[in-house]
Every structure is written in C-alpha cells, then in structure tokens.
Amino acid sequence: MSRMSPTDPELTHRLTRRGMLGVAAGATAAALLGTAATPATAATDNATAAAGRPVLPPGRLGIQLYSLRDKVSTLGFAPVFAELEKFGYDEVEFAGYTQGSAGPITLAQLKRLARDHGLNPIGSHVGYYSDDPNAYTFAQNLTKVLDDAQALGLKHIGTASGPFRYGSTVDAWKRAAEEFNTYGAAAKARGMKFYQHNHSEEFSFATDNPKVRLYDVLLAETDPDLVYLEMDIFWAYSGQFRFSKRPDGKPAPFEPLDYVLRQPHRYPLFHVKDGVSDPANTYGYRMTDVGDGDIDYQRFISAVTRLRGERLAHHWQAEHDNPTESFTFARRSSAHLHSLREKC
C-alpha cells in the first residue's frame, strides 16, 4: 500500500565523516605547529568564506531508516550503517528495530553497531494504538516501548500515527492530546522526549468546527514540556497545498515554517523530504531525492538555525518513502544538504 494513502495514517508512514574528521585534525595540527598559511591555503580559505557558512549544523544530519528498509532486510544493519558513515551521516532514526534485518540482532548489538559507525541513534517511530492488546504501541505497551528506547540510549521516542484515534472532531483530538501528554510524562521521567510526526492530514479541519485546524488543536492541548513535534517538511507543504482553504471555500493559508519559528523548542526533529510541485497530484508534490525538488531547504533550515540558541537544538533526518535506489538517495541527499551555504 502506498504510504501516501490518506485513509490509514499509520500505514502511510512507516562528505564523509572521515573527511570531515581529517579536515579537523589537519587544522588542529597546523595550529599546534604554528604553520603559516600558504597562498594556496589562503585562497581556499577566502573561497570558503565567500561561499558562506554551511546551512546544515555539524553533527546533526540523520536519516530515517525506513528509507533504507530494502537494504536492511537484505544486507542487515552493519553494511547499511557502514554506507551511511561513508555518506557523512551523524544520526539514525529507527522505524522498528529489525526491519526484516538479515539475521537476528539484539538492542545492545544494534546500539553498539550504530556507535561503531559513528551514528547516534536519535529517535524511533512506534505505533500509537491498536486493537490488539499485545501490540507494540504506546497505548498497549508503553512500558515496553520506553524500556527498549532506553536500552538503545534514545533521546526521543515518538509515533508517526496521526491523533485520529477517536475521530476528527475537536473533542476527539483533545482526548488524543491527553494520551500524548501521558506518554510524554512517562518519557520525560526517563530522560526522553515523546514526539509526533505529521502527515498532511493533520493540517485538515475539524469535522465539527471547520474553522479549526486540527494541528492547532494538537499544539494547544498538549503540554509543550511533555509533547514535541517532528515536522515532516514534505508532508507539511503537502498539507499547505491541500488545506489552505476551509471546507466552505474560504481562504485559510498557512506557512509550515511559521509554526516552527513561533515555537522552535517544540520541534527537536525534522524529516527532510523533497518533492517536485505537481498541482495535478492529490498531495501537490511528487516525492523525490533531497535536492531534486522544489522545497527550499536552504531557506527553511537557515531560518530555524539562525534563531538565537537554536543552531544545534534540532536534528535533520533525510527521508524518502520509496526511493528508486535507496543508497543513491542517501548519498545524494547528504551531499546536497552538506553543499548548502548561507551568506554570513
């Protein structure tokens, strides 16, 4: 089933480091030796300064492993992590702890494997609820979910499920928000942050009050110290395309970036996912590799990281729901994001 199906939010979801370290080591050695800059070095430094500061903060590029599920299932985590290390990734976000991995693996082994490749496990997606009382979801098995996250050393644990458990009315979302607050309090007690990842439907309007955007209900009814958001930027702009008019046809424009700028502390994580504008598509965009689409990531990331005290406060996870070739997607997306510069 396509992850872009609006009927089931749960199903619809699911350069190199050595070079960078080498540059840092070289700079340190030069400083210790008191080496004077040669004309060639000075020219390179001037060119770098002219190009501007990297938009992407150091150490904050991750990838949602759902994008690489085909490689994990056939090769296992070790070869995948080795490639991500070469591509310059710093972090990984899990979409399950096996993903059909080739061969069994324990949480301790998975944590060690990630760290061996210089990858920080930053978060994980888990289901919100299920009719199965034994399901691995927040509603059914909160303690187990948090136990596993803690074993992996995660700082964030969240869900890609929309708060539609009780429907699409204002009261239904208030009820879901209460549950999210409960999960957030339990996560906070263990030193973690609970978060919710959006798709486009979160930006739709309440069925009982078409003047109210459901995403605004979620923000208003969840405790900002307990519940955080992972903005999937692609889906947020898809929501902008789909829901900039109320059901009665009256304009209701919004800018996804404005949500972040108003409350940057609520968005520790982002999904960096790109799309080519296509008004004929139900979602307004056709998903593509990061850098090949029309979402202005130089503008978006710069606007967030330029806020006072926010440059290193966020984590940027590259993602593509169905890449043509997943390693190629990962490599090209990292290269593009590392290439972005802003004027000083």
Short mmCIF file of all heavy atoms in Angstrom, two decimals, residues 6 52 78 105 148-149 151 187 196 199 232 245 340:
data_model
loop_
_atom_site.label_atom_id
_atom_site.label_comp_id
_atom_site.label_asym_id
_atom_site.label_seq_id
_atom_site.Cartn_x
_atom_site.Cartn_y
_atom_site.Cartn_z
N PRO A 6 -4.48 8.51 2.20
CA PRO A 6 -4.99 9.30 3.31
C PRO A 6 -5.88 8.51 4.24
O PRO A 6 -6.33 9.02 5.25
CB PRO A 6 -5.79 10.40 2.58
CG PRO A 6 -6.28 9.72 1.35
CD PRO A 6 -5.17 8.78 0.95
N GLY A 52 30.18 31.12 2.27
CA GLY A 52 29.29 31.24 3.41
C GLY A 52 29.34 30.03 4.33
O GLY A 52 29.90 28.99 4.01
N ALA A 78 24.60 -3.80 9.63
CA ALA A 78 26.03 -3.46 9.58
C ALA A 78 26.44 -2.85 8.24
O ALA A 78 27.05 -1.77 8.21
CB ALA A 78 26.88 -4.68 9.90
N ILE A 105 19.18 -9.68 15.75
CA ILE A 105 20.04 -8.68 16.37
C ILE A 105 19.37 -8.19 17.64
O ILE A 105 18.15 -8.00 17.68
CB ILE A 105 20.31 -7.51 15.40
CG1 ILE A 105 21.38 -6.56 15.99
CG2 ILE A 105 19.04 -6.76 15.06
CD1 ILE A 105 21.91 -5.56 14.97
N ASP A 148 12.69 -0.31 25.72
CA ASP A 148 13.52 -0.54 24.55
C ASP A 148 14.23 0.74 24.11
O ASP A 148 15.42 0.71 23.74
CB ASP A 148 12.68 -1.09 23.40
CG ASP A 148 12.22 -2.52 23.64
OD1 ASP A 148 12.71 -3.15 24.60
OD2 ASP A 148 11.36 -3.01 22.88
N ALA A 149 13.51 1.84 24.15
CA ALA A 149 14.11 3.12 23.75
C ALA A 149 15.26 3.47 24.68
O ALA A 149 16.32 3.95 24.25
CB ALA A 149 13.05 4.22 23.76
N ALA A 151 17.05 1.33 26.40
CA ALA A 151 18.15 0.40 26.16
C ALA A 151 19.01 0.84 24.97
O ALA A 151 20.22 0.59 24.96
CB ALA A 151 17.59 -1.00 25.91
N ALA A 187 7.82 9.41 29.20
CA ALA A 187 9.11 9.51 28.52
C ALA A 187 10.03 10.49 29.25
O ALA A 187 11.22 10.22 29.44
CB ALA A 187 8.91 9.96 27.08
N GLN A 196 5.47 13.53 18.00
CA GLN A 196 4.55 13.06 16.97
C GLN A 196 4.99 13.60 15.63
O GLN A 196 5.35 14.77 15.49
CB GLN A 196 3.11 13.54 17.26
CG GLN A 196 2.04 12.86 16.41
CD GLN A 196 1.70 13.61 15.13
OE1 GLN A 196 1.97 14.79 15.01
NE2 GLN A 196 1.09 12.92 14.17
N HIS A 199 1.71 13.83 8.99
CA HIS A 199 1.50 13.70 7.56
C HIS A 199 0.67 14.92 7.14
O HIS A 199 0.56 15.88 7.92
CB HIS A 199 0.82 12.37 7.23
CG HIS A 199 1.71 11.19 7.49
ND1 HIS A 199 1.80 10.60 8.73
CD2 HIS A 199 2.57 10.53 6.69
CE1 HIS A 199 2.69 9.61 8.68
NE2 HIS A 199 3.17 9.55 7.45
N ASP A 232 7.51 16.69 9.48
CA ASP A 232 7.88 16.16 8.18
C ASP A 232 7.59 17.31 7.20
O ASP A 232 6.44 17.64 6.95
CB ASP A 232 7.06 14.92 7.83
CG ASP A 232 7.52 14.29 6.53
OD1 ASP A 232 7.52 15.00 5.50
OD2 ASP A 232 7.86 13.10 6.52
N LYS A 245 -7.57 26.19 2.16
CA LYS A 245 -8.95 26.67 2.13
C LYS A 245 -9.77 25.83 3.09
O LYS A 245 -9.58 24.62 3.20
CB LYS A 245 -9.55 26.58 0.73
CG LYS A 245 -8.97 27.57 -0.26
CD LYS A 245 -9.70 27.47 -1.60
CE LYS A 245 -9.16 28.50 -2.59
NZ LYS A 245 -9.86 28.38 -3.91
N LEU A 340 24.85 23.07 0.94
CA LEU A 340 24.11 24.32 1.11
C LEU A 340 24.91 25.30 1.97
O LEU A 340 25.47 24.95 3.01
CB LEU A 340 22.76 24.05 1.78
CG LEU A 340 21.77 23.17 0.98
CD1 LEU A 340 20.48 22.99 1.78
CD2 LEU A 340 21.47 23.79 -0.38
#
